[in-house]
Amino acid sequence: MDWTAGDRTEGVVGVAGVRIRPWSEDDLDLLRQLNAPEIRAHTGGSETAEQVLARHERYVRFDADGCMYAVVLPDGAKVGSVGYWEREWRGEHVYEMGWAVLPAYQGRGLATAAVRAVADVARARRTHRWAHAYPSVDNPPSNAVCRKAGFTLVGETEFEYPPGRLMISNDWRLDLTVPAGTGRPAPDADGAGMRAPAC
């Protein structure tokens, strides 16, 4: 199932019709493009060809713990990735979210629209209350995406990414029990009896 950015694009320019769709075998070239040094500068640098292929296989085969998506424009152009996955954070199970947009498409609000759309997917699962994102403190654009997408800044933290490398990140948190744009908890926020949508 594809998800669109919907009508929640206040403050985001030029995002009408942006959609996310589950990662597929056809997205390997996109992942290779997203492995560029300028895109990976805040996430440990470019990966080897073998690491990119392994990452692609993980994205294609994501299970019930999360999902990766391609960010797709109305004309079909694939311009980025966005996703969420389960992790433990400070003794609690949460979703972590991450994204990347090709340089030619940055600064247009596409990442914010994609993050909002993936937050809606995670919210619909009713599995975890919180989604977190951990952009480097030295990455103003990704921190701005968090703010515009409705996350709340918890504070700075040491974050290990890639494995074996500590960086100083901002810990941003989004309450998934609050329906988008309402500021109020959703009914049945504990998720009892709810089934998650397919990735």
Side-chain angles (χ1 to χ4, degrees):
M1 171 185 292
D2 289 0
W3 292 72
T4 61
D7 297 325
R8 295 181 317 99
T9 56
E10 54 281 342
V12 180
V13 179
V15 294
V18 171
R19 70 187 200 289
I20 60 172
R21 63 148 180 78
W23 199 264
S24 73
E25 291 286 355
D26 296 335
D27 294 324
L28 178 57
D29 186 58
L30 173 61
L31 191 57
R32 288 179 174 138
Q33 293 175 61
L34 291 170
N35 192 42
E38 62 271 24
I39 298 172
R40 302 275 308 171
H42 297 286
T43 55
S46 296
E47 296 178 313
T48 66
E50 294 79 18
Q51 289 171 315
V52 170
L53 187 56
R55 178 180 295 276
H56 173 67
E57 292 301 320
R58 285 193 311 271
Y59 286 4
V60 169
R61 302 197 191 332
F62 247 111
D63 58 21
D65 294 338
C67 193
M68 285 303 294
Y69 298 86
V71 180
V72 184
L73 297 182
D75 65 4
K78 296 184 277 189
V79 300
S81 65
V82 65
Y84 69 98
W85 50 93
E86 219 173 53
R87 70 165 297 130
E88 188 171 320
W89 182 247
R90 299 186 173 159
E92 186 175 10
H93 290 282
V94 301
Y95 285 127
E96 180 180 345
M97 294 188 174
W99 56 90
V101 173
L102 295 171
Y105 297 92
Q106 292 175 1
R108 301 181 188 187
L110 300 174
T112 301
V115 169
R116 286 177 177 168
V118 85
D120 287 346
V121 174
R123 184 177 284 113
R125 294 177 65 102
R126 296 189 181 197
T127 304
H128 299 303
R129 178 173 183 180
W130 302 108
H132 287 255
Y134 309 96
S136 167
V137 296
D138 298 325
N139 187 346
S142 282
N143 283 282
V145 167
C146 291
R147 182 179 45 77
K148 291 176 186 176
F151 286 71
T152 300
L153 179 61
V154 177
E156 287 186 9
T157 188
E158 279 192 339
F159 191 76
E160 186 178 7
Y161 191 83
R165 180 179 175 266
L166 284 178
M167 65 180 196
I168 303 299
S169 297
N170 281 322
D171 178 5
W172 290 88
R173 183 172 74 178
L174 180 68
D175 188 345
L176 297 174
T177 67
V178 176
T182 68
R184 292 186 310 274
D188 191 31
D190 67 354
M194 301 302 294
R195 289 185 47 209
C199 177

